[in-house]
Amino acid sequence: MIKMRTVMLFMIVLFELIFGFSNAQLQVGFYNDVCPEAESIVTGFVRDAANSNPQIPAIMLRLHFHDCFVEGCDGSILIDIGKDSERLAFGHQGVQGYDVVENAKAKLESVCPGVVSCADIVTMAARDGVAISGGPSYQVETGRKDGLVSNINLADRMPDVKDSIQLLKQKFIEKGLNDKDLVVLSAAHTIGTTACFFMEDRLYNFADTGGPDPRINPSFLPELTHTCPKNGDIMVRLPMDHGSGETFDNQILQNIRSGFGVLESDAKLMDDPTTKGIVDSYFGGLNPVTFEEDFVNSMVRMGRIGTKDDSNGNIRRVCKAFN
């Protein structure tokens, strides 16, 4: 019995070392006593920004994902220290929302100096973005410390639109996430836009064939090529969720099933029997799975990746610079 307990303890420690989970200090309502206005302040800044820019909900959601998938959910992507900053990594192209975080942080420092981490602001802002766009309202765990490392070379394992489904699954496993997390977090593309830059090969030279990705529904292809013509402006943007780009819903999964997925990586969810089965589980049948509930669970799980505590983090005074 003692030997069995020892083995189990070893496996738990090994899992945390491999996947970077360090969430013992996280809890819902962490700031209730030390900074009661923290969450409402962040929500206010996200709402104000969204009133000026309807893409803010998607922007904040993407910022959270990109932060968590490098050094963990520790605000490493926020650091701006020149050419070696993580935020300049190829995999972070187009990531925005830094100003919303900085503005919220400045207000929080005036109300509760040295209390609320930038990493938590990113997490709360993503939660608010989901709710503002019509998605579920949910509670997030807080209590993260800000990381002490930010390096462009550490961001080379970001999921990429051209990754195979096997590689995408592996990258999620490396972060302690599973196939369902891959599907529902990919479905975060239900809001927001992408640039034609990410569509060129899919439309005009898929897998070096000189033609389009055969996964694209033939009736959808003319619309995509009209928006993103060959040798056209690669900075033109199009919704990632055809027909429902500003509303949080599961339409993107239906689009993926029917060949109307915009991003190549989303379409590849149908290449694997496991991820395809998860996508299909949200439609039909007597008891279809609730997408919103699964999405919330995956967001909470992602928010636990590589979180920092007092031993390897602190509370930054400004989010873009180390103390």
Side-chain angles (χ1 to χ4, degrees), residues 12 24 83-84 156 159 172 203 248 258 267 280 304 308 310 313:
I12 291 172
K83 62 182 180 62
D84 292 327
D156 58 359
F172 271 67
L203 294 177
F248 187 99
S258 56
D280 290 339
R304 295 170 178 167
K308 307 301 188 291
D310 288 329

Side-chain angles (χ1 to χ4, degrees), residues 42 46 57 60-61 100-101 120-130:
V42 174
V46 176
M60 304 318 297
L61 187 53
V100 178
V101 176
D120 277 343
I121 295 173
V122 172
T123 303
M124 291 185 280
R127 179 268 316 272
D128 296 332
V130 171

Side-chain angles (χ1 to χ4, degrees), residues 90 93 194-201 228 233-236:
F90 180 83
Q93 290 180 95
T194 189
C196 289
F197 171 81
F198 295 105
M199 301 295 296
E200 282 189 304
D201 285 347
C228 300
D233 184 355
I234 61 173
M235 300 310 295
V236 169

Side-chain angles (χ1 to χ4, degrees), residues 3 6 9 12-13 24 34 50 74 76 79 87 124 139 149 157 165 167 174-175 215 277 303 311:
K3 183 177 180 180
T6 301
L9 179 61
I12 291 172
V13 171
V34 292
D74 67 348
S76 59
I79 293 294
R87 65 161 70 185
M124 291 185 280
Q139 294 181 311
V149 176
R157 291 290 289 175
I165 186 61
L167 182 54
E174 289 169 4
K175 297 301 180 182
R215 301 181 188 86
S311 68

Side-chain angles (χ1 to χ4, degrees), residues 212-277:
D213 183 350
R215 301 181 188 86
I216 301 174
N217 190 302
S219 66
F220 187 37
L221 183 61
E223 181 178 335
L224 291 175
T225 55
H226 175 76
T227 304
C228 300
K230 192 171 185 179
N231 300 319
D233 184 355
I234 61 173
M235 300 310 295
V236 169
R237 303 192 69 84
L238 67 161
M240 292 184 287
D241 187 6
H242 177 69
S244 183
E246 292 186 5
T247 302
F248 187 99
D249 53 29
N250 68 354
Q251 178 62 41
I252 189 168
L253 295 176
Q254 187 65 270
N255 285 340
I256 290 169
R257 296 174 83 210
S258 56
F260 282 76
V262 173
L263 292 180
E264 182 179 335
S265 55
D266 290 347
K268 287 175 179 174
L269 294 175
M270 303 303 285
D271 289 354
D272 177 82
T274 301
T275 52
K276 179 182 183 298

Side-chain angles (χ1 to χ4, degrees), residues 276-287:
K276 179 182 183 298
I278 295 168
V279 172
D280 290 339
S281 72
Y282 295 106
F283 305 95
L286 296 177
N287 296 296

Side-chain angles (χ1 to χ4, degrees), residues 63-116:
L63 179 64
H64 183 39
F65 179 87
H66 279 251
D67 184 37
C68 292
F69 258 74
V70 181
E71 282 292 282
C73 309
D74 67 348
S76 59
I77 195 173
L78 305 174
I79 293 294
D80 186 6
I81 51 175
K83 62 182 180 62
D84 292 327
S85 302
E86 178 198 314
R87 65 161 70 185
L88 299 180
F90 180 83
H92 291 331
Q93 290 180 95
V95 173
Q96 303 173 59
Y98 303 111
D99 55 335
V100 178
V101 176
E102 288 290 359
N103 291 338
K105 176 62 171 175
K107 177 63 177 179
L108 287 164
E109 283 297 297
S110 70
V111 176
C112 310
V115 174
V116 182

Side-chain angles (χ1 to χ4, degrees), residues 301-318:
R301 282 165 55 80
M302 185 181 74
R304 295 170 178 167
I305 298 173
T307 55
K308 307 301 188 291
D309 55 26
D310 288 329
S311 68
N312 56 0
N314 58 23
I315 304 294
R316 292 182 204 145
R317 289 184 290 271
V318 294

